[in-house]
Amino acid sequence: MFSFQPDRSEYPQPGLDGKLEIDLETGKYLKLWHGPNHPGITGNMSVELTVCGDEVVEGKTHVGYLHRGFEKLMERRTFIQVFPIVCRVCVPEPDFNEYCYAAAVEELAGIEVPELATWMRTLILEMGRFNSYMMFLGGIGGALGLGITGQWMTYVRDLMLDRFEELTGARIYHMFILPGGVRGHLPEGFAARMEEVLQTAETYLADVDKVMFANSVFQLRTKGIGVIEPALFEPYGVTGPNARAGGVAKDVRKDSPYLVYDQLDFEVATGMDSDIFTRAKVRRADIQTSIDLIRQILKKMPKDGPVMAKLPNVLHWKIPRGETYIKGECSRGEYGYYLVTDGSGYPRRINVRGPSYTHAMALLEHLIPGTNISDVAALMVSLHTYPPEIER
Amino acid sequence: MMRDLHALLTPRHALGPLEIRRENLAFVTLPASNLRGFLTELRDTQGFSHLVLLTAVDWLEEGQFQLTYMMNNRARDLTLGVRVMLDRTTAQMDSIHDLWPTAATYQRELKEMFGITFPGSPRLDEEFILEGWTDLPPYRRDFDSLAYSQQTYAERPGRVTHDPREYMKSKLYPGG
């Protein structure tokens, strides 16, 4: 097979410390902005690449295109007013923000959530995870020129958005999980309509297996590329599928079960090669897990009961001084909310811990040197980064 | 489990009282000068190898910044929030980027948003999220975001603002 190897004798040599002295004046280096408007970029961020020939020698992540100051905004709002803001931190998987915030408030305020609400929350989170993975599969295909997977996955995601709409009244920002429980019950016939969506999804995913994962071009461009050495997992705070693809079965759903995950039967998908291909395969297996979990939840959940605890008068709701950290496993890894209260009617501090904060900043910048320009998009998408959770 | 750990490490690191939030989450405060040694021991001998997050809380009224280092031991499912109180006027802390490279990102953000410095941390003074910011670090409590937006941006003519508290009161508690 033909493989193109650039003549590296023409390249500048690193110094004694192994580092390059990058001097743009020499004409041997070029600055290349990968984003913020680029088909291979997920969301509003950019990577400032320094390239030498077709090889990237340095990459710096730039964010701030979508900074809305949420953490500061929330300090000016009462606990109930914060609730409609949190979901807007992350567009593709907003429900995790709602769950983490609600659970943190409940813990500090001593509110017990009805059992049915915990099942409904788990259902919503798995539906959100499924949708987030649909965007991932479309994105990784798009980053490598396989546009059709993006179209298929957008269609399947849209079907799930229909289920979100009938359950919550909204398609993207659901505002369904609020402190105390959830806003409503399952509509009549919901389980049957969900089953139709899941079956359609499985049909399309079988096609993705053939068109993308079995595609030799896709395999050539993803196998052995963008490898994250497992030794980097702890220093760089790698969690979720990015760690699982390297053989470490990190999954908050198993490691520290929350909601009703201890009552559900599922295995955590892992891989060994820790490259772009394996990360995509792990996420593909995770989609099947989510589909199975949605079916299990709909089968096992209580059929009736309250879904909302009684809240105090939310206009005068004060929470005693305290702090807590609530976490869960979102589609990209560990997602968490750190909430500090000071006894007033407003949060003292809310900090959102999104997995992209480490994956797209320190880790991506560490992985980029030495890659080919054409692999940067796939590498970045394979880390499943969502910039809004970096800049909040 | 947390209590045993606390009892073991208190003599060496002058830890404050352990505040247990729930079975697998607790908080502890210690002097700033002991932080690096404590985190190193947590990481190397106690299995707390995952730096979950690093952030600050501004206790303006008390003249202090609180830094929280959230440490996790996955095998034992334990999370320990390690707190350090800093004087708000000096606002300086030792960097831990050599222990966890990813900490450099957190420290860069804390410098920009709270004005807390971490000497030696890589790219500390590079802009992270804000661009050309010259005002107070915006996440400090004495930075008034409402006043800033009123001074900086013009209101669209004809805009009507309703008081959300009054609106909620009429919808949620119509009887008063």
Side-chain angles (χ1 to χ4, degrees), chain A residues 141-179:
Chain A
L144 293 165
L146 276 165
I148 189 68
T149 55
Q151 294 175 20
W152 288 342
M153 295 301 97
T154 303
Y155 170 65
V156 175
R157 176 172 175 265
D158 217 50
L159 297 179
M160 188 60 87
L161 291 182
D162 290 344
R163 300 289 74 75
F164 267 117
E165 188 173 4
E166 70 166 310
L167 178 57
T168 70
R171 295 178 76 79
I172 305 296
Y173 297 131
H174 312 120
M175 292 176 279
F176 190 68
I177 301 173
L178 74 166

mmCIF file of all heavy atoms in Angstrom, chain A residues 141-179:
data_model
loop_
_atom_site.group_PDB
_atom_site.id
_atom_site.type_symbol
_atom_site.label_atom_id
_atom_site.label_comp_id
_atom_site.label_asym_id
_atom_site.label_seq_id
_atom_site.Cartn_x
_atom_site.Cartn_y
_atom_site.Cartn_z
ATOM 1 N N GLY A 141 -17.976 11.120 11.756
ATOM 2 C CA GLY A 141 -18.105 10.823 10.327
ATOM 3 C C GLY A 141 -17.810 12.074 9.507
ATOM 4 O O GLY A 141 -17.039 12.048 8.549
ATOM 5 N N GLY A 142 -18.396 13.201 9.934
ATOM 6 C CA GLY A 142 -18.206 14.456 9.219
ATOM 7 C C GLY A 142 -16.755 14.888 9.190
ATOM 8 O O GLY A 142 -16.246 15.379 8.178
ATOM 9 N N ALA A 143 -16.039 14.669 10.297
ATOM 10 C CA ALA A 143 -14.642 15.088 10.381
ATOM 11 C C ALA A 143 -13.778 14.304 9.388
ATOM 12 O O ALA A 143 -12.692 14.742 9.028
ATOM 13 C CB ALA A 143 -14.117 14.881 11.800
ATOM 14 N N LEU A 144 -14.259 13.147 8.951
ATOM 15 C CA LEU A 144 -13.480 12.324 8.036
ATOM 16 C C LEU A 144 -14.156 12.193 6.677
ATOM 17 O O LEU A 144 -13.850 11.279 5.910
ATOM 18 C CB LEU A 144 -13.255 10.933 8.662
ATOM 19 C CG LEU A 144 -12.362 10.980 9.906
ATOM 20 C CD1 LEU A 144 -12.444 9.699 10.692
ATOM 21 C CD2 LEU A 144 -10.922 11.270 9.516
ATOM 22 N N GLY A 145 -15.091 13.081 6.394
ATOM 23 C CA GLY A 145 -15.688 13.113 5.067
ATOM 24 C C GLY A 145 -16.829 12.143 4.837
ATOM 25 O O GLY A 145 -17.267 11.961 3.712
ATOM 26 N N LEU A 146 -17.321 11.514 5.901
ATOM 27 C CA LEU A 146 -18.448 10.589 5.763
ATOM 28 C C LEU A 146 -19.737 11.321 6.135
ATOM 29 O O LEU A 146 -20.304 11.101 7.200
ATOM 30 C CB LEU A 146 -18.259 9.383 6.691
ATOM 31 C CG LEU A 146 -17.391 8.243 6.173
ATOM 32 C CD1 LEU A 146 -17.016 7.332 7.328
ATOM 33 C CD2 LEU A 146 -18.120 7.445 5.119
ATOM 34 N N GLY A 147 -20.170 12.174 5.261
ATOM 35 C CA GLY A 147 -21.296 13.049 5.574
ATOM 36 C C GLY A 147 -22.591 12.311 5.841
ATOM 37 O O GLY A 147 -23.454 12.792 6.573
ATOM 38 N N ILE A 148 -22.739 11.123 5.274
ATOM 39 C CA ILE A 148 -24.032 10.440 5.373
ATOM 40 C C ILE A 148 -24.352 10.050 6.822
ATOM 41 O O ILE A 148 -25.509 10.093 7.231
ATOM 42 C CB ILE A 148 -24.067 9.210 4.431
ATOM 43 C CG1 ILE A 148 -25.468 8.613 4.350
ATOM 44 C CG2 ILE A 148 -23.082 8.128 4.878
ATOM 45 C CD1 ILE A 148 -26.462 9.478 3.667
ATOM 46 N N THR A 149 -23.322 9.690 7.609
ATOM 47 C CA THR A 149 -23.634 9.312 8.993
ATOM 48 C C THR A 149 -24.215 10.508 9.747
ATOM 49 O O THR A 149 -25.101 10.342 10.583
ATOM 50 C CB THR A 149 -22.383 8.798 9.747
ATOM 51 O OG1 THR A 149 -21.375 9.779 9.664
ATOM 52 C CG2 THR A 149 -21.887 7.496 9.180
ATOM 53 N N GLY A 150 -23.717 11.691 9.445
ATOM 54 C CA GLY A 150 -24.249 12.893 10.080
ATOM 55 C C GLY A 150 -25.727 13.068 9.761
ATOM 56 O O GLY A 150 -26.531 13.425 10.620
ATOM 57 N N GLN A 151 -26.087 12.796 8.506
ATOM 58 C CA GLN A 151 -27.500 12.954 8.119
ATOM 59 C C GLN A 151 -28.373 11.899 8.809
ATOM 60 O O GLN A 151 -29.448 12.206 9.316
ATOM 61 C CB GLN A 151 -27.612 12.845 6.600
ATOM 62 C CG GLN A 151 -26.915 13.998 5.897
ATOM 63 C CD GLN A 151 -26.921 13.851 4.394
ATOM 64 O OE1 GLN A 151 -27.708 13.125 3.825
ATOM 65 N NE2 GLN A 151 -26.006 14.546 3.745
ATOM 66 N N TRP A 152 -27.904 10.671 8.820
ATOM 67 C CA TRP A 152 -28.689 9.614 9.471
ATOM 68 C C TRP A 152 -28.855 9.888 10.968
ATOM 69 O O TRP A 152 -29.941 9.747 11.525
ATOM 70 C CB TRP A 152 -27.998 8.257 9.310
ATOM 71 C CG TRP A 152 -28.058 7.692 7.930
ATOM 72 C CD1 TRP A 152 -28.908 8.059 6.929
ATOM 73 C CD2 TRP A 152 -27.225 6.654 7.400
ATOM 74 N NE1 TRP A 152 -28.649 7.316 5.805
ATOM 75 C CE2 TRP A 152 -27.631 6.442 6.058
ATOM 76 C CE3 TRP A 152 -26.179 5.883 7.905
ATOM 77 C CZ2 TRP A 152 -27.026 5.496 5.246
ATOM 78 C CZ3 TRP A 152 -25.582 4.939 7.087
ATOM 79 C CH2 TRP A 152 -26.000 4.752 5.776
ATOM 80 N N MET A 153 -27.745 10.247 11.601
ATOM 81 C CA MET A 153 -27.788 10.413 13.054
ATOM 82 C C MET A 153 -28.628 11.627 13.444
ATOM 83 O O MET A 153 -29.287 11.638 14.480
ATOM 84 C CB MET A 153 -26.371 10.542 13.630
ATOM 85 C CG MET A 153 -25.510 9.296 13.472
ATOM 86 S SD MET A 153 -26.204 7.827 14.252
ATOM 87 C CE MET A 153 -27.011 6.992 12.900
ATOM 88 N N THR A 154 -28.592 12.663 12.599
ATOM 89 C CA THR A 154 -29.439 13.832 12.869
ATOM 90 C C THR A 154 -30.913 13.431 12.798
ATOM 91 O O THR A 154 -31.731 13.870 13.611
ATOM 92 C CB THR A 154 -29.149 14.952 11.855
ATOM 93 O OG1 THR A 154 -27.755 15.261 11.942
ATOM 94 C CG2 THR A 154 -29.943 16.201 12.166
ATOM 95 N N TYR A 155 -31.231 12.547 11.856
ATOM 96 C CA TYR A 155 -32.612 12.075 11.740
ATOM 97 C C TYR A 155 -33.015 11.286 12.991
ATOM 98 O O TYR A 155 -34.077 11.524 13.583
ATOM 99 C CB TYR A 155 -32.762 11.205 10.485
ATOM 100 C CG TYR A 155 -34.095 10.495 10.421
ATOM 101 C CD1 TYR A 155 -35.286 11.208 10.303
ATOM 102 C CD2 TYR A 155 -34.165 9.101 10.510
ATOM 103 C CE1 TYR A 155 -36.507 10.561 10.276
ATOM 104 C CE2 TYR A 155 -35.385 8.445 10.482
ATOM 105 C CZ TYR A 155 -36.558 9.187 10.363
ATOM 106 O OH TYR A 155 -37.760 8.543 10.347
ATOM 107 N N VAL A 156 -32.148 10.366 13.408
ATOM 108 C CA VAL A 156 -32.481 9.545 14.575
ATOM 109 C C VAL A 156 -32.586 10.423 15.821
ATOM 110 O O VAL A 156 -33.485 10.244 16.650
ATOM 111 C CB VAL A 156 -31.429 8.428 14.770
ATOM 112 C CG1 VAL A 156 -31.704 7.665 16.052
ATOM 113 C CG2 VAL A 156 -31.425 7.485 13.579
ATOM 114 N N ARG A 157 -31.679 11.375 15.928
ATOM 115 C CA ARG A 157 -31.731 12.285 17.076
ATOM 116 C C ARG A 157 -33.060 13.045 17.084
ATOM 117 O O ARG A 157 -33.656 13.267 18.137
ATOM 118 C CB ARG A 157 -30.557 13.269 17.006
ATOM 119 C CG ARG A 157 -30.555 14.326 18.090
ATOM 120 C CD ARG A 157 -29.284 15.151 18.082
ATOM 121 N NE ARG A 157 -29.348 16.217 19.051
ATOM 122 C CZ ARG A 157 -29.740 17.466 18.766
ATOM 123 N NH1 ARG A 157 -30.069 17.786 17.533
ATOM 124 N NH2 ARG A 157 -29.787 18.390 19.707
ATOM 125 N N ASP A 158 -33.505 13.408 15.902
ATOM 126 C CA ASP A 158 -34.759 14.141 15.800
ATOM 127 C C ASP A 158 -35.938 13.303 16.306
ATOM 128 O O ASP A 158 -36.869 13.831 16.923
ATOM 129 C CB ASP A 158 -34.982 14.552 14.343
ATOM 130 C CG ASP A 158 -35.621 15.916 14.255
ATOM 131 O OD1 ASP A 158 -35.108 16.838 14.916
ATOM 132 O OD2 ASP A 158 -36.640 16.049 13.555
ATOM 133 N N LEU A 159 -35.879 12.005 16.049
ATOM 134 C CA LEU A 159 -36.952 11.136 16.548
ATOM 135 C C LEU A 159 -36.959 11.126 18.074
ATOM 136 O O LEU A 159 -38.014 11.130 18.707
ATOM 137 C CB LEU A 159 -36.754 9.709 16.017
ATOM 138 C CG LEU A 159 -36.823 9.518 14.499
ATOM 139 C CD1 LEU A 159 -36.591 8.059 14.146
ATOM 140 C CD2 LEU A 159 -38.166 9.990 13.952
ATOM 141 N N MET A 160 -35.744 11.103 18.654
ATOM 142 C CA MET A 160 -35.667 11.126 20.119
ATOM 143 C C MET A 160 -36.122 12.494 20.644
ATOM 144 O O MET A 160 -36.728 12.581 21.722
ATOM 145 C CB MET A 160 -34.241 10.811 20.573
ATOM 146 C CG MET A 160 -34.090 10.627 22.072
ATOM 147 S SD MET A 160 -35.102 9.283 22.750
ATOM 148 C CE MET A 160 -34.003 7.888 22.532
ATOM 149 N N LEU A 161 -35.829 13.544 19.882
ATOM 150 C CA LEU A 161 -36.300 14.877 20.304
ATOM 151 C C LEU A 161 -37.837 14.922 20.338
ATOM 152 O O LEU A 161 -38.423 15.632 21.155
ATOM 153 C CB LEU A 161 -35.756 15.964 19.373
ATOM 154 C CG LEU A 161 -34.251 16.230 19.440
ATOM 155 C CD1 LEU A 161 -33.870 17.376 18.502
ATOM 156 C CD2 LEU A 161 -33.804 16.551 20.855
ATOM 157 N N ASP A 162 -38.472 14.157 19.439
ATOM 158 C CA ASP A 162 -39.946 14.079 19.483
ATOM 159 C C ASP A 162 -40.404 13.506 20.825
ATOM 160 O O ASP A 162 -41.388 13.957 21.412
ATOM 161 C CB ASP A 162 -40.467 13.176 18.358
ATOM 162 C CG ASP A 162 -40.296 13.806 16.986
ATOM 163 O OD1 ASP A 162 -40.065 15.037 16.933
ATOM 164 O OD2 ASP A 162 -40.365 13.076 15.987
ATOM 165 N N ARG A 163 -39.686 12.479 21.297
ATOM 166 C CA ARG A 163 -40.046 11.869 22.591
ATOM 167 C C ARG A 163 -39.786 12.877 23.721
ATOM 168 O O ARG A 163 -40.560 12.974 24.662
ATOM 169 C CB ARG A 163 -39.253 10.591 22.840
ATOM 170 C CG ARG A 163 -39.448 9.471 21.805
ATOM 171 C CD ARG A 163 -40.810 8.828 21.893
ATOM 172 N NE ARG A 163 -41.910 9.627 21.370
ATOM 173 C CZ ARG A 163 -42.163 9.828 20.072
ATOM 174 N NH1 ARG A 163 -41.421 9.280 19.168
ATOM 175 N NH2 ARG A 163 -43.173 10.577 19.696
ATOM 176 N N PHE A 164 -38.681 13.609 23.608
ATOM 177 C CA PHE A 164 -38.422 14.652 24.613
ATOM 178 C C PHE A 164 -39.560 15.664 24.610
ATOM 179 O O PHE A 164 -40.022 16.104 25.659
ATOM 180 C CB PHE A 164 -37.108 15.378 24.302
ATOM 181 C CG PHE A 164 -35.908 14.801 25.001
ATOM 182 C CD1 PHE A 164 -34.858 14.254 24.285
ATOM 183 C CD2 PHE A 164 -35.821 14.813 26.372
ATOM 184 C CE1 PHE A 164 -33.748 13.726 24.934
ATOM 185 C CE2 PHE A 164 -34.716 14.296 27.040
ATOM 186 C CZ PHE A 164 -33.680 13.754 26.305
ATOM 187 N N GLU A 165 -39.999 16.014 23.423
ATOM 188 C CA GLU A 165 -41.028 17.060 23.317
ATOM 189 C C GLU A 165 -42.333 16.597 23.952
ATOM 190 O O GLU A 165 -42.983 17.354 24.667
ATOM 191 C CB GLU A 165 -41.249 17.430 21.849
ATOM 192 C CG GLU A 165 -42.158 18.644 21.700
ATOM 193 C CD GLU A 165 -42.246 19.137 20.265
ATOM 194 O OE1 GLU A 165 -41.665 18.500 19.369
ATOM 195 O OE2 GLU A 165 -42.916 20.157 20.058
ATOM 196 N N GLU A 166 -42.716 15.341 23.694
ATOM 197 C CA GLU A 166 -43.994 14.914 24.282
ATOM 198 C C GLU A 166 -43.881 14.720 25.796
ATOM 199 O O GLU A 166 -44.854 14.850 26.520
ATOM 200 C CB GLU A 166 -44.538 13.648 23.600
ATOM 201 C CG GLU A 166 -43.771 12.390 23.864
ATOM 202 C CD GLU A 166 -44.567 11.152 23.445
ATOM 203 O OE1 GLU A 166 -45.739 11.048 23.852
ATOM 204 O OE2 GLU A 166 -44.020 10.308 22.715
ATOM 205 N N LEU A 167 -42.663 14.413 26.266
ATOM 206 C CA LEU A 167 -42.490 14.220 27.708
ATOM 207 C C LEU A 167 -42.324 15.540 28.451
ATOM 208 O O LEU A 167 -42.877 15.733 29.526
ATOM 209 C CB LEU A 167 -41.254 13.324 27.944
ATOM 210 C CG LEU A 167 -40.859 13.026 29.386
ATOM 211 C CD1 LEU A 167 -42.008 12.386 30.143
ATOM 212 C CD2 LEU A 167 -39.642 12.114 29.429
ATOM 213 N N THR A 168 -41.551 16.458 27.864
ATOM 214 C CA THR A 168 -41.196 17.674 28.610
ATOM 215 C C THR A 168 -41.806 18.938 28.028
ATOM 216 O O THR A 168 -41.784 19.988 28.662
ATOM 217 C CB THR A 168 -39.665 17.866 28.628
ATOM 218 O OG1 THR A 168 -39.231 18.213 27.299
ATOM 219 C CG2 THR A 168 -38.952 16.604 29.055
ATOM 220 N N GLY A 169 -42.254 18.872 26.780
ATOM 221 C CA GLY A 169 -42.786 20.074 26.139
ATOM 222 C C GLY A 169 -41.728 20.841 25.375
ATOM 223 O O GLY A 169 -42.022 21.848 24.742
ATOM 224 N N ALA A 170 -40.484 20.405 25.445
ATOM 225 C CA ALA A 170 -39.410 21.126 24.762
ATOM 226 C C ALA A 170 -38.499 20.131 24.054
ATOM 227 O O ALA A 170 -38.405 18.968 24.444
ATOM 228 C CB ALA A 170 -38.606 21.948 25.761
ATOM 229 N N ARG A 171 -37.808 20.608 23.020
ATOM 230 C CA ARG A 171 -36.954 19.705 22.267
ATOM 231 C C ARG A 171 -35.505 19.756 22.741
ATOM 232 O O ARG A 171 -34.856 18.733 22.882
ATOM 233 C CB ARG A 171 -37.023 20.033 20.766
ATOM 234 C CG ARG A 171 -38.398 19.785 20.177
ATOM 235 C CD ARG A 171 -38.461 20.161 18.721
ATOM 236 N NE ARG A 171 -37.814 19.175 17.850
ATOM 237 C CZ ARG A 171 -38.376 18.029 17.489
ATOM 238 N NH1 ARG A 171 -39.565 17.706 17.949
ATOM 239 N NH2 ARG A 171 -37.752 17.204 16.680
ATOM 240 N N ILE A 172 -34.973 20.935 22.959
ATOM 241 C CA ILE A 172 -33.545 21.042 23.286
ATOM 242 C C ILE A 172 -33.351 21.285 24.794
ATOM 243 O O ILE A 172 -32.726 20.498 25.478
ATOM 244 C CB ILE A 172 -32.873 22.171 22.487
ATOM 245 C CG1 ILE A 172 -33.110 21.962 20.985
ATOM 246 C CG2 ILE A 172 -31.381 22.235 22.805
ATOM 247 C CD1 ILE A 172 -32.501 20.709 20.401
ATOM 248 N N TYR A 173 -33.837 22.400 25.274
ATOM 249 C CA TYR A 173 -33.706 22.716 26.699
ATOM 250 C C TYR A 173 -34.989 22.292 27.406
ATOM 251 O O TYR A 173 -36.011 22.969 27.309
ATOM 252 C CB TYR A 173 -33.459 24.209 26.895
ATOM 253 C CG TYR A 173 -32.163 24.679 26.285
ATOM 254 C CD1 TYR A 173 -32.120 25.789 25.463
ATOM 255 C CD2 TYR A 173 -30.971 24.006 26.536
ATOM 256 C CE1 TYR A 173 -30.931 26.223 24.900
ATOM 257 C CE2 TYR A 173 -29.783 24.420 25.981
ATOM 258 C CZ TYR A 173 -29.759 25.535 25.167
ATOM 259 O OH TYR A 173 -28.595 25.956 24.616
ATOM 260 N N HIS A 174 -34.917 21.189 28.140
ATOM 261 C CA HIS A 174 -36.154 20.574 28.613
ATOM 262 C C HIS A 174 -36.686 21.160 29.909
ATOM 263 O O HIS A 174 -37.875 21.169 30.148
ATOM 264 C CB HIS A 174 -35.921 19.072 28.767
ATOM 265 C CG HIS A 174 -35.264 18.484 27.552
ATOM 266 N ND1 HIS A 174 -34.052 17.849 27.581
ATOM 267 C CD2 HIS A 174 -35.632 18.516 26.256
ATOM 268 C CE1 HIS A 174 -33.724 17.482 26.358
ATOM 269 N NE2 HIS A 174 -34.652 17.871 25.535
ATOM 270 N N MET A 175 -35.767 21.632 30.777
ATOM 271 C CA MET A 175 -36.182 22.215 32.062
ATOM 272 C C MET A 175 -37.198 21.314 32.751
ATOM 273 O O MET A 175 -38.272 21.754 33.155
ATOM 274 C CB MET A 175 -36.728 23.632 31.862
ATOM 275 C CG MET A 175 -35.651 24.583 31.435
ATOM 276 S SD MET A 175 -36.242 26.232 31.076
ATOM 277 C CE MET A 175 -36.867 26.023 29.447
ATOM 278 N N PHE A 176 -36.868 20.039 32.823
ATOM 279 C CA PHE A 176 -37.800 19.033 33.325
ATOM 280 C C PHE A 176 -37.420 18.563 34.718
ATOM 281 O O PHE A 176 -38.266 18.281 35.552
ATOM 282 C CB PHE A 176 -37.802 17.848 32.343
ATOM 283 C CG PHE A 176 -38.884 16.849 32.593
ATOM 284 C CD1 PHE A 176 -40.214 17.178 32.378
ATOM 285 C CD2 PHE A 176 -38.588 15.572 33.033
ATOM 286 C CE1 PHE A 176 -41.225 16.256 32.597
ATOM 287 C CE2 PHE A 176 -39.591 14.644 33.256
ATOM 288 C CZ PHE A 176 -40.913 14.989 33.045
ATOM 289 N N ILE A 177 -36.078 18.473 34.953
ATOM 290 C CA ILE A 177 -35.614 18.017 36.269
ATOM 291 C C ILE A 177 -35.382 19.255 37.118
ATOM 292 O O ILE A 177 -34.465 20.033 36.854
ATOM 293 C CB ILE A 177 -34.292 17.227 36.132
ATOM 294 C CG1 ILE A 177 -34.483 16.015 35.219
ATOM 295 C CG2 ILE A 177 -33.778 16.802 37.496
ATOM 296 C CD1 ILE A 177 -33.201 15.272 34.893
ATOM 297 N N LEU A 178 -36.206 19.480 38.104
ATOM 298 C CA LEU A 178 -36.004 20.653 38.948
ATOM 299 C C LEU A 178 -35.883 20.211 40.403
ATOM 300 O O LEU A 178 -36.235 19.073 40.732
ATOM 301 C CB LEU A 178 -37.117 21.686 38.767
ATOM 302 C CG LEU A 178 -38.494 21.448 39.339
ATOM 303 C CD1 LEU A 178 -39.266 22.762 39.322
ATOM 304 C CD2 LEU A 178 -39.249 20.422 38.561
ATOM 305 N N PRO A 179 -35.318 21.062 41.248
ATOM 306 C CA PRO A 179 -35.160 20.650 42.645
ATOM 307 C C PRO A 179 -36.483 20.128 43.199
ATOM 308 O O PRO A 179 -37.517 20.791 43.079
ATOM 309 C CB PRO A 179 -34.727 21.944 43.342
ATOM 310 C CG PRO A 179 -34.028 22.722 42.285
ATOM 311 C CD PRO A 179 -34.770 22.405 41.014
#
